[in-house]
C-alpha cells in the first residue's frame, strides 16, 4: 500500500512524453504498449490529488463529496471505447477547446498550471493506461 501511495504522489515522471497518434476522436494504441491495471486506475480516480472527483461523481460509495460539474463516471465503459477514453484523459481540450477538464498527458499550451506541474504531465503514460483500464470496466450507468 505504501509503495502504491508513493507511486501516485507528486507529478508524473518528467521524462519526455511518449508519442501517440490521434485518429478521429480517439488514441487507438496504448501509450505504453501494454494494458493498464484497473485496480491501480481506480486508486488514481479516487485519489483527490488527481482531481477526478472534484468534478465527476461515480460508483464510489466510500467517497464523500463527489463532483457534479462533469458527467458521472458511471457507465464510462459503455459510453466510450478505451481509445476514446484515452484521448479524453490525454488531451480533453482536443475534443472541446472550452473544457475545464485538465489535459492529463500534455505539457504544451497549458495556461493555468501550478508551478509544481509546469512542464510535466499530471499523469504518467502508465497511469493514463491504468485509468483507461478502470473506466472501461464501468459499464453500468
Amino acid at each position: 500500500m505504501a509503495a502504491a501511495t508513493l507511486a501516485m504522489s507528486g507529478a508524473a515522471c518528467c521524462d519526455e512524453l511518449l508519442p501517440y497518434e490521434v485518429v478521429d476522436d480517439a488514441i487507438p494504441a496504448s501509450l505504453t504498449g501494454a494494458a493498464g491495471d484497473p485496480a491501480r486506475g481506480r486508486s488514481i480516480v479516487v485519489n483527490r490529488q488527481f482531481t477526478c472527483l472534484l468534478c465527476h461523481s461515480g460508483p464510489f460509495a466510500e467517497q464523500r463529496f463527489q463532483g457534479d460539474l462533469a458527467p458521472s463516471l458511471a457507465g464510462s465503459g459503455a459510453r466510450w471505447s478505451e481509445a476514446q477514453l484515452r484521448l479524453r484523459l490525454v488531451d480533453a481540450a482536443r475534443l472541446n477547446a472550452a473544457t475545464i477538464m485538465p489535459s492529463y498527458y500534455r505539457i504544451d499550451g497549458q495556461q493555468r498550471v501550478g508551478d509544481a506541474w509546469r512542464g510535466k504531465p499530471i499523469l504518467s503514460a502508465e497511469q493514463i493506461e491504468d485509468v483507461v483500464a478502470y473506466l472501461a470496466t464501468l459499464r453500468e450507468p
Side-chain angles (χ1 to χ4, degrees):
M1 180 81 165
T5 303
L6 285 173
M8 292 189 311
S9 66
C13 180
C14 45
D15 293 339
E16 287 189 36
L17 300 178
L18 298 172
Y20 57 87
E21 179 183 10
V22 175
V23 177
D24 298 323
D25 67 341
I27 299 173
S30 165
L31 299 177
T32 63
D37 179 281
R40 284 193 313 251
R42 187 182 196 286
S43 295
I44 292 167
V45 169
V46 299
N47 182 327
R48 300 268 176 193
Q49 178 180 0
F50 296 117
T51 72
C52 300
L53 296 185
L54 180 64
C55 297
H56 296 278
S57 62
F60 318 111
E62 79 284 3
Q63 296 294 319
R64 296 179 53 191
F65 309 115
Q66 297 180 34
D68 61 4
L69 297 172
S72 171
L73 296 177
S76 294
R79 288 192 301 271
W80 298 292
S81 69
E82 287 188 13
Q84 290 170 317
L85 289 166
R86 189 174 292 110
L87 179 57
R88 281 156 175 77
L89 289 166
V90 166
D91 189 4
R94 190 173 190 119
L95 299 166
N96 175 2
T99 188
I100 62 171
M101 183 164 163
S103 294
Y104 284 91
Y105 195 69
R106 180 177 151 203
I107 58 175
D108 64 314
Q110 306 289 28
Q111 297 189 4
R112 294 175 302 236
V113 179
D115 290 339
W117 301 106
R118 193 165 311 282
K120 299 177 232 169
I122 297 170
L123 296 177
S124 69
E126 293 81 8
Q127 290 171 319
I128 293 286
E129 294 306 322
D130 292 342
V131 173
V132 166
Y134 173 65
L135 293 177
T137 70
L138 300 179
R139 310 292 298 169
E140 299 294 320

